[in-house]
């Protein structure tokens, strides 16, 4: 299995390099622009979906994949055992404003359950192209001189200083607002871009803090999707020494009601996550 996972990683790494170059094209973010010959230019999310999806289809070890941009499970090889889930471009609404965005992947051995997740990774397209991949540890790499260079194993402290509160405040419930306010009252600093990859990556790089995307009155199950965004980051945070919950339960233990289902979610270092569970339980 290890060899097969490596094979998947090599293919994804190569395509992330291609995508990072595509993102530098002048019109990458603009979805409704027609090109010179009058063709509708494919939205960058769809291009990213195609890029990773077609690459996965060439691999014998892949049973199938599910993408945020595809309604259904895509079969690849019936006899294989590994399933890949992905958000080909996370934070795509930030492309126009030139903020950091990412691609998120989960690799499962067996069915699509948290306990079957064997590897999770994300690429971040910022000033540099970087990769974080978690198996036993959460390893951080940077792409320089056409090579992936290892930087560090992420190891979070038990407590941080950053507060990254997602969702529309007007729709937060009272206890959530009080929780977020109480972090600020104790000196936590606001760090929120609206791109989950960049926001969660920053907390890992600074070794602690809290990211939340709660249930709100306008989004009862939150916004972030279990398979494409939440499970991979839950896995990575745990491997980095942090925690991830839906407020009540460990995220990797929650059910997956459907391929595109979302869930409230909290990711952070241990002290902040204890406060989340005290408030939500
Ligand atoms: P995507 O670009 O894949 O649709 O995901 C965007 C997500 C995530 O990156 C971010 O944390 C969240 O949406 C922000 O959503 P709102 O700005 O709607 O709260
Ligand atoms: Mn996303
Ligand atoms: Mn997306």
């Amino acid at each position: 299995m290890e060899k097969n996972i490596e094979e998947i990683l090599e293919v994804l790494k190569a395509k992330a390099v291609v995508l990072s170059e595509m993102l530098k094209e002048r019109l990458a973010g603009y979805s409704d622009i027609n090109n010179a010959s009058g063709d509708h230019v494919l939205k960058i999310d769809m291009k990213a979906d195609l890029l990773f999806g077609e690459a996965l289809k060439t691999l014998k070890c892949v049973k199938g994949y599910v993408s945020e941009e595809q309604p259904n499970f895509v079969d690849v090889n019936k006899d294989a055992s590994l399933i890949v889930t992905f958000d080909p471009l996370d934070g795509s609404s930030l492309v126009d404003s030139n903020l950091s965005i990412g691609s998120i992947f989960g690799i499962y051995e067996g069915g699509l359950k948290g306990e079957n997740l064997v590897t999770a990774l994300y690429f971040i397209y910022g000033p540099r192209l970087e990769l974080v991949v978690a198996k036993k540890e959460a390893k951080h790499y940077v792409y320089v001189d056409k090579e992936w260079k290892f930087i560090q194993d992420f190891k979070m402290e038990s407590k941080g200083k950053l507060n990254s509160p997602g969702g529309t405040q007007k729709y937060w419930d009272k206890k959530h607002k009080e929780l977020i306010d109480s972090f600020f009252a104790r000196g936590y600093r606001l760090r929120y871009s609206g791109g989950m990859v960049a926001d969660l990556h920053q907390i890992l790089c600074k070794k602690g803090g809290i990211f939340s995307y709660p249930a709100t009155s306008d989004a009862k199950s939150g916004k972030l999707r279990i398979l494409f965004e939440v499970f991979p980051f839950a896995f990575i945070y745990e491997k980095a020494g942090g925690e991830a919950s839906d407020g009540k339960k460990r995220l990797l233990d929650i059910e997956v009601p459907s391929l595109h289902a979302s869930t409230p979610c909290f990711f952070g270092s241990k002290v902040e996550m204890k406060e989340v569970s005290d408030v939500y339980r």
Side-chain angles (χ1 to χ4, degrees):
M1 183 179 73
E2 194 50 40
K3 211 175 123 258
N4 292 339
I5 292 172
E6 277 314 308
E7 196 182 3
I8 296 173
L9 292 181
E10 285 316 309
V11 162
L12 298 180
K13 279 150 77 176
K15 295 302 170 187
V17 171
V18 174
L19 179 55
S20 107
E21 287 307 315
M22 281 162 61
L23 289 167
K24 291 175 189 155
E25 288 166 21
R26 197 165 59 93
L27 296 177
Y30 303 93
S31 51
D32 293 321
I33 290 172
N34 290 334
N35 67 15
S37 49
D39 296 334
H40 189 73
V41 176
L42 212 52
K43 249 180 110 180
I44 189 74
D45 305 67
M46 301 309 291
K47 285 190 190 172
D49 176 58
L50 212 62
L51 188 70
F52 291 120
E54 292 304 310
L56 291 171
K57 282 182 188 165
T58 66
L59 297 178
K60 284 215 167 55
C61 63
V62 173
K63 183 182 179 69
Y65 66 83
V66 198
S67 160
E68 184 188 88
E69 302 299 338
Q70 301 285 335
N72 303 313
F73 187 95
V74 179
D75 287 306
V76 179
N77 292 298
K78 284 215 157 37
D79 301 332
S81 65
L82 296 173
I83 298 174
V84 182
T85 61
F86 60 98
D87 178 351
L89 203 60
D90 175 75
S92 55
S93 69
L94 304 177
V95 177
D96 296 356
S97 39
N98 202 17
L99 287 166
S100 293
I101 54 180
S103 304
I104 312 168
F105 299 84
I107 305 176
Y108 297 77
E109 163 93 57
L112 293 170
K113 284 197 234 165
E115 67 191 55
N116 292 336
L117 195 49
V118 286
T119 299
L121 59 142
Y122 64 86
F123 296 97
I124 179 164
Y125 313 99
R128 295 180 299 270
L129 171 60
E130 296 189 0
L131 160 67
V132 174
V133 48
K135 290 180 195 163
K136 289 194 175 69
E137 294 94 21
K139 295 193 175 290
H140 183 194
Y141 299 86
V142 60
Y143 189 72
V144 270
D145 301 330
K146 301 195 183 269
E147 266 180 62
W148 291 96
K149 300 211 161 97
F150 175 71
I151 304 173
Q152 61 184 325
D153 283 328
F154 276 131
K155 286 199 174 60
M156 294 174 83
E157 312 278 357
S158 59
K159 188 174 176 297
K161 294 178 185 150
L162 304 184
N163 189 5
S164 197
T168 309
Q169 298 196 19
K170 166 176 157 186
Y171 301 123
W172 287 353
D173 71 17
K174 190 164 164 285
K175 68 171 185 240
H176 186 74
K177 182 164 172 35
E178 284 170 3
L179 172 69
I180 297 303
D181 286 348
S182 86
F183 285 123
F184 285 133
R186 283 172 284 152
Y188 280 75
R189 278 161 307 173
L190 174 66
R191 291 293 184 270
Y192 193 74
S193 73
M196 181 191 197
V197 170
D199 292 329
L200 283 168
H201 185 66
Q202 178 161 216
I203 291 172
L204 287 170
C205 290
K206 305 292 182 193
K207 298 188 187 303
I210 173 88
F211 172 98
S212 46
Y213 207 110
T216 53
S217 59
D218 65 329
K220 304 274 184 223
S221 311
K223 176 184 182 189
L224 297 174
R225 286 140 289 209
I226 301 175
L227 290 178
F228 311 123
E229 293 154 328
V230 172
F231 272 2
F233 269 108
F235 188 86
I236 291 166
Y237 262 60
E238 287 191 1
K239 299 299 176 190
E243 291 179 11
S245 87
D246 69 353
K248 296 187 172 76
K249 269 177 101 166
R250 176 177 175 251
L251 279 169
L252 290 170
D253 289 334
I254 70 170
E255 301 286 318
V256 184
S258 62
L259 295 180
H260 291 262
S262 59
T263 178
C265 55
F266 301 83
F267 304 84
S269 31
K270 294 203 169 79
V271 168
E272 293 84 353
M273 290 300 291
K274 166 83 169 54
E275 292 193 40
V276 169
S277 97
D278 289 346
V279 166
Y280 273 86
R281 226 168 240 162

